[in-house]
Amino acid sequence: IRRQDAVHEDVELLRQDIKLIEQKFSEFQTLRFTIHPLVIDENLITRDLLPLPSSPCRTMKLEFDEFPALATNDKNLLVHRSPNLTLLDRHFTVVKEVPWTHEDIWDMCWSTALNRYIIVTSKEVFMLDHSTMNATQCPISSDVEWSRATCSASSLFLLTQGLGPSLFEYRLPPSNKNVKQRSSPETCEQCEHIFDLKSNNKTLAMIIYNTETGITRLDLRSSSNFQCLWSADVGQGFRCCLLQDEQGMVVDALTRRLFHISNNGQVLKVDKYLHEPWNVFQWGKFIIGIRTKDSIHLY
């Protein structure tokens, strides 16, 4: 009072303010908060995969293969190192290796349902047990020539060679009893090649080249009813992979380009690659692999 010349009314106002603060503080102590987690739609997330790092985290030299096929499960990578089939870990250490005595391998894929690798030659289809490296021929009889293979959770998809190819869907385990065939124009036009075929549990990705227009596109189709969900122009793309979050990557060896495609068919980015990329794969959630003529690079 002496320092600020306050009067009695001022002191009373200050006391009321203090009581009000005490009351609010008491109420604050009894508050209960209900906090809900923020739900983020992963379909709206865009990850910048390109450009890839300037240097791969791991590289392995590999002899040239006319059909640069490979397949992965969570732990291992299967490659053909003539004259052997080789199973590698993520450090490129050879886990197992056996001679391959059959015809040239056109494609490989992994079946989670069968816990086996599927290996395709032009005339035969094999299942490879990764623990024993024993290859057994699938009970599939056909007079066509195969070019590509991919697996969903319940089916094996086999693609024939040539223009206007047919697509065979075998329920797992594969046999001649439960098979569905799709032919041109349902698969593609008679003047078109299908360069690559990849599947997850819901969709099929196909790289299709039109011989009349010279245009190459990536089609994403429903694996259940084969409805086309979207198409994207991918230069002269040759091989593709479906990424974990429903996005895609396409490699164009002729122009040394990589295409990153969104889950709604938009080309997010196109980037030059130092070498000719002949195949691409995703290994687990965080590793992208590029197969060139003489190497495999991990990023």
Side-chain angles (χ1 to χ4, degrees), residues 85-182:
L85 275 179
T86 304
L87 201 63
L88 304 167
D89 65 15
R90 296 195 183 189
H91 297 283
F92 283 151
T93 302
V94 176
V95 178
K96 291 183 176 69
E97 195 168 50
V98 294
W100 180 253
T101 58
H102 304 279
E103 294 182 352
D104 291 338
I105 296 173
W106 278 71
D107 205 9
M108 304 176 182
C109 64
W110 169 258
S111 170
T112 302
L114 298 176
N115 198 31
R116 297 285 190 277
Y117 287 99
I118 304 294
I119 302 173
V120 174
T121 70
S122 64
K123 290 293 187 181
E124 297 173 304
V125 181
F126 298 88
M127 293 185 293
L128 179 76
D129 186 330
H130 62 290
S131 59
T132 64
M133 295 299 281
N134 290 329
T136 57
Q137 188 173 351
C138 290
I140 294 174
S141 61
S142 177
D143 57 357
V144 299
E145 293 186 329
W146 305 119
S147 66
R148 296 288 182 261
T150 188
C151 280
S152 68
S154 58
S155 298
L156 166 65
F157 297 91
L158 294 177
L159 185 71
T160 62
Q161 298 181 26
L163 284 170
S166 296
L167 182 66
F168 289 78
E169 179 182 357
Y170 294 88
R171 301 295 291 181
L172 296 176
S175 71
N176 288 319
K177 295 180 180 179
N178 197 347
V179 58
K180 180 187 298 182
Q181 179 182 353
R182 292 184 171 91

Side-chain angles (χ1 to χ4, degrees), residues 261-273:
I261 315 296
S262 73
N263 52 20
N264 61 0
Q266 299 298 311
V267 178
L268 297 175
K269 193 161 188 178
V270 182
D271 193 51
K272 278 283 189 178
Y273 193 65

Side-chain angles (χ1 to χ4, degrees), residues 21-288:
I21 292 172
E22 289 175 342
Q23 179 183 349
K24 294 297 183 182
F25 183 73
S26 177
E27 293 175 357
F28 180 78
Q29 287 181 314
T30 61
L31 285 178
R32 295 292 183 269
F33 294 96
T34 302
I35 301 175
H36 299 283
L38 177 63
V39 178
I40 300 176
D41 185 353
E42 291 191 0
N43 293 325
L44 302 178
I45 299 175
T46 300
R47 296 176 175 87
D48 293 327
L49 298 181
L50 299 178
L52 295 175
S54 56
S55 298
C57 64
R58 205 159 281 116
T59 294
M60 179 180 183
K61 291 293 183 181
L62 208 60
E63 292 183 2
F64 173 74
D65 191 338
E66 186 177 358
F67 309 104
L70 42 79
T72 64
N73 58 17
D74 289 337
K75 294 182 178 180
N76 300 118
L77 169 67
L78 181 67
V79 296
H80 181 215
R81 297 197 305 171
S82 184
N84 298 321
L85 275 179
T86 304
L87 201 63
L88 304 167
D89 65 15
R90 296 195 183 189
H91 297 283
F92 283 151
T93 302
V94 176
V95 178
K96 291 183 176 69
E97 195 168 50
V98 294
W100 180 253
T101 58
H102 304 279
E103 294 182 352
D104 291 338
I105 296 173
W106 278 71
D107 205 9
M108 304 176 182
C109 64
W110 169 258
S111 170
T112 302
L114 298 176
N115 198 31
R116 297 285 190 277
Y117 287 99
I118 304 294
I119 302 173
V120 174
T121 70
S122 64
K123 290 293 187 181
E124 297 173 304
V125 181
F126 298 88
M127 293 185 293
L128 179 76
D129 186 330
H130 62 290
S131 59
T132 64
M133 295 299 281
N134 290 329
T136 57
Q137 188 173 351
C138 290
I140 294 174
S141 61
S142 177
D143 57 357
V144 299
E145 293 186 329
W146 305 119
S147 66
R148 296 288 182 261
T150 188
C151 280
S152 68
S154 58
S155 298
L156 166 65
F157 297 91
L158 294 177
L159 185 71
T160 62
Q161 298 181 26
L163 284 170
S166 296
L167 182 66
F168 289 78
E169 179 182 357
Y170 294 88
R171 301 295 291 181
L172 296 176
S175 71
N176 288 319
K177 295 180 180 179
N178 197 347
V179 58
K180 180 187 298 182
Q181 179 182 353
R182 292 184 171 91
S183 302
S184 177
E186 188 178 11
T187 53
C188 64
E189 299 299 327
Q190 278 291 340
C191 63
E192 292 180 326
H193 285 285
I194 298 180
F195 287 157
D196 204 7
L197 179 73
K198 290 294 188 298
S199 173
N200 57 22
N201 291 336
K202 297 180 181 179
T203 57
L204 277 170
M206 301 189 301
I207 295 184
I208 300 175
Y209 169 68
N210 189 297
T211 59
E212 295 182 354
T213 64
I215 295 175
T216 303
R217 68 184 187 273
L218 176 67
D219 278 4
L220 189 74
R221 295 178 177 268
S222 166
S223 57
S224 59
N225 58 21
F226 216 60
Q227 177 186 358
C228 186
L229 305 177
W230 51 255
S231 293
D233 190 337
V234 289
Q236 300 179 65
F238 179 65
R239 286 282 204 166
C240 67
C241 74
L242 285 170
L243 306 177
Q244 293 281 351
D245 50 3
E246 300 295 331
Q247 299 184 26
M249 185 169 287
V250 175
V251 294
D252 178 350
L254 297 179
T255 62
R256 297 183 179 181
R257 291 187 297 172
L258 307 177
F259 291 77
H260 180 198
I261 315 296
S262 73
N263 52 20
N264 61 0
Q266 299 298 311
V267 178
L268 297 175
K269 193 161 188 178
V270 182
D271 193 51
K272 278 283 189 178
Y273 193 65
L274 183 61
H275 310 283
E276 294 179 354
W278 284 99
N279 210 337
V280 59
F281 59 97
Q282 184 172 23
W283 200 351
K285 293 183 178 180
F286 306 109
I287 297 177
I288 295 291

